[in-house]
Amino acid sequence: MRPAGEMVRIASGFHADISIVKDDLSVNGKSIIALITLAAESGSSITIRAEGEDATEAVDALVNIVERNFGEDE
Amino acid sequence: MKIQPVSIRELSGRKDLRLSAANGIIGAEKEISNSEINRPGLALAGFTGRFTPNRIQILGETEYTYLASLSAEARVAASEHVLSFGVPCVIITKTLQPPRELLEVADKYGTAVLITELTTDEFLRSLAEFLEPHFAPRESVHATLVDVYGIGLLVTGRSGIGKSETALDLVERGHRLVADDLVSVYRMRQGVLMGGGNEQMQHYMEIRGIGIIDVPSLFGIRSIRIRKRVEVVIRLEEWDSKSVYERVGIEEQTTTILGVELPYVVLPIVPGKNLTVVAEVIALNHLLKVVGKNSAAELNDRLIEAMRKSTANSIYDREDFE
């Protein structure tokens, strides 16, 4: 659950509409409830999509946190 | 979202359908991919034009009696007519025992023959209850669904605008939460839109500043609902002085979800405005319209009537004074 919280926290800092897609379910990246529903287990693959003025920065920031394994390795 | 087919194994495992297999585990992996059924009476008799082989085939008492009236040889031929199409399964109602010839032909084609304790009518209804929502067109929407006085209000709006807080306030006032933040909607027959949630997360809510809360634990079992018809869509928006908001309410705005047209209310958010009460009024106003009373339209009619009367009087007066 913590990684979901982390993603929502970062996503909420942007104006862009962010959606996280897993399999064929697409949910709002700023909603913790929706992200938990997505139940992306560690190791599964997700698509991050953003639309809006700061979309590129938003995707970069989210990809970054996922790649750093939500800071758990640090 | 992609629609998952239903396997015969899954179908026969449904307690409410009261099914048992007549020929063991044969054909359990076959799949059904639509909710329609077929009564293969004509096919049994030999007419296979326009036969629908991808549907569940249901044999009721009529078909059963027909098969029983045939010679053993003719029964094989009749069974072949239906089963040679590779139908997903054959279901016999009212615990009628399938003829040996039918079972032999079913084994040959690897098709399950199931027996239900229900009558044909009961079975068809239970089957529709299970399959229709399963195969209905559906999508996930970022919204909150609350039952307010029996009216399903789907609250939409951008993240952080206060959908969950509005819902929480409504729940606190005795209304019922269906799902927060992620509502799975599906279209039933005749343009009815149903909404529900994901089993694990359905009655949890995120309240900014607190975190995740469990609604039925806090507010009791009466505070939740598993699913609800969606009746009105509300959109919460920041107040925008350039936007035009509905002030009269004679013309109803609508929005379309999955092809179902629904009344649509855009609510501007202003500090000090009690959204909960407004939401309750939207629900009550919708109820009034359901029973045939449209407040705005009635006021309009009364004003027109009053104007018409006053015009009639003034003509009368003018005539007198010439």
Side-chain angles (χ1 to χ4, degrees):
Chain A
M1 234 160 95
R2 202 191 59 84
E6 197 69 1
M7 276 192 92
V8 169
R9 194 178 56 77
I10 292 170
S12 299
F14 294 94
H15 289 291
D17 286 329
I18 296 165
S19 43
I20 312 290
V21 190
K22 187 194 164 208
D23 300 330
D24 38 40
L25 182 63
S26 163
V27 301
N28 179 5
K30 295 179 185 177
S31 154
I32 183 124
I33 300 282
L35 274 187
I36 296 172
T37 305
L38 208 55
E41 294 144 22
S42 179
S44 60
S45 79
I46 54 168
T47 307
I48 300 169
R49 203 177 283 150
E51 238 172 274
E53 40 179 318
D54 49 9
T56 324
E57 292 91 320
V59 173
D60 287 346
L62 287 168
V63 168
N64 181 35
I65 188 73
V66 173
E67 281 177 346
R68 287 195 294 118
N69 203 13
F70 304 96
E72 267 173 12
D73 298 343
E74 282 153 30
Chain B
M1 265 189 269
K2 231 188 312 174
I3 289 170
Q4 296 290 332
V6 175
S7 71
I8 302 304
R9 185 187 305 284
E10 205 178 320
L11 187 78
S12 58
R14 294 272 311 188
K15 297 257 185 307
D16 55 341
L17 296 176
R18 310 273 185 88
L19 288 166
S20 55
N23 55 350
I25 47 162
I26 284 174
E29 300 313 321
K30 283 200 185 185
E31 287 175 336
I32 309 156
S33 47
N34 64 62
S35 63
E36 286 164 301
I37 61 104
N38 187 44
R39 304 280 306 266
L42 283 173
L44 288 173
F47 178 74
T48 52
R50 299 188 62 87
F51 184 70
T52 44
N54 56 351
R55 297 183 186 179
I56 297 174
Q57 306 293 321
I58 295 182
L59 302 188
E61 218 159 1
T62 320
E63 291 83 0
Y64 186 82
T65 317
Y66 171 71
L67 279 178
S69 75
L70 300 174
S71 67
E73 247 167 71
R75 263 201 294 274
V76 173
S79 308
E80 282 275 350
H81 287 317
V82 173
L83 287 154
S84 62
F85 281 100
V87 299
C89 69
V90 174
I91 294 171
I92 303 174
T93 58
K94 276 181 110 175
T95 332
L96 296 165
Q97 291 309 308
R100 197 163 48 85
E101 295 79 6
L102 176 73
L103 286 178
E104 282 167 8
V105 178
D107 285 355
K108 180 176 141 195
Y109 290 103
T111 306
V113 176
L114 305 167
I115 305 169
T116 175
E117 294 164 29
L118 304 175
T119 64
T120 308
D121 197 42
E122 284 169 341
F123 181 75
L124 290 181
R125 258 183 278 169
S126 301
L127 186 68
E129 255 168 53
F130 164 46
L131 291 181
E132 271 177 34
H134 186 93
F135 290 118
R138 60 172 65 226
E139 68 181 40
S140 291
V141 291
H142 174 219
T144 295
L145 181 58
V146 191
D147 170 345
V148 179
Y149 299 124
I151 301 295
L153 298 184
L154 187 72
V155 185
T156 65
R158 70 152 181 82
S159 284
I161 196 140
K163 298 185 292 293
S164 300
E165 287 74 7
T166 306
L168 186 65
D169 211 9
L170 285 166
V171 163
E172 218 269 326
R173 291 170 70 108
H175 303 293
R176 301 165 78 189
L177 175 75
V178 184
D180 183 43
D181 238 7
L182 185 68
V183 181
S184 167
V185 292
Y186 53 97
R187 189 182 72 216
M188 300 283 282
R189 229 168 246 183
Q190 289 146 353
V192 172
L193 193 72
M194 292 292 294
N198 170 280
E199 256 173 66
Q200 273 98 48
M201 289 308 293
Q202 184 166 14
H203 298 118
Y204 286 94
M205 247 185 177
E206 188 215 353
I207 301 298
R208 307 257 152 133
I210 301 175
I212 294 171
I213 61 165
D214 177 355
V215 173
S217 294
L218 284 171
F219 297 96
I221 196 72
R222 58 161 201 169
S223 64
I224 54 159
R225 236 190 118 135
I226 308 294
R227 52 172 172 249
K228 173 77 191 83
R229 224 153 85 172
V230 178
E231 267 123 348
V232 181
V233 181
I234 298 178
R235 183 174 178 81
L236 304 183
E237 271 187 13
E238 271 101 358
W239 173 271
D240 175 4
S241 54
K242 285 178 224 96
S243 257
V244 183
Y245 298 104
E246 186 56 56
R247 304 298 290 269
V248 180
I250 291 180
E251 277 167 42
E252 217 175 60
Q253 279 198 63
T254 60
T255 186
T256 306
I257 300 174
L258 284 176
V260 180
E261 205 180 355
L262 295 159
Y264 181 58
V265 183
V266 178
L267 279 188
I269 308 244
V270 207
K273 185 159 178 165
N274 188 337
L275 275 179
T276 315
V277 175
V278 178
E280 283 181 338
V281 168
I282 290 171
L284 290 172
N285 219 19
H286 184 78
L287 273 176
L288 267 186
K289 282 178 191 162
V290 170
V291 298
K293 189 174 162 69
N294 182 334
S295 314
E298 272 178 31
L299 175 62
N300 191 39
D301 291 346
R302 266 169 52 194
L303 290 173
I304 290 170
E305 177 67 10
M307 282 186 269
R308 200 182 57 78
K309 270 190 196 147
S310 67
T311 335
N313 285 343
S314 63
I315 292 168
Y316 178 79
D317 290 342
R318 244 184 290 135
E319 275 173 352
D320 191 41
F321 293 112
E322 285 181 42

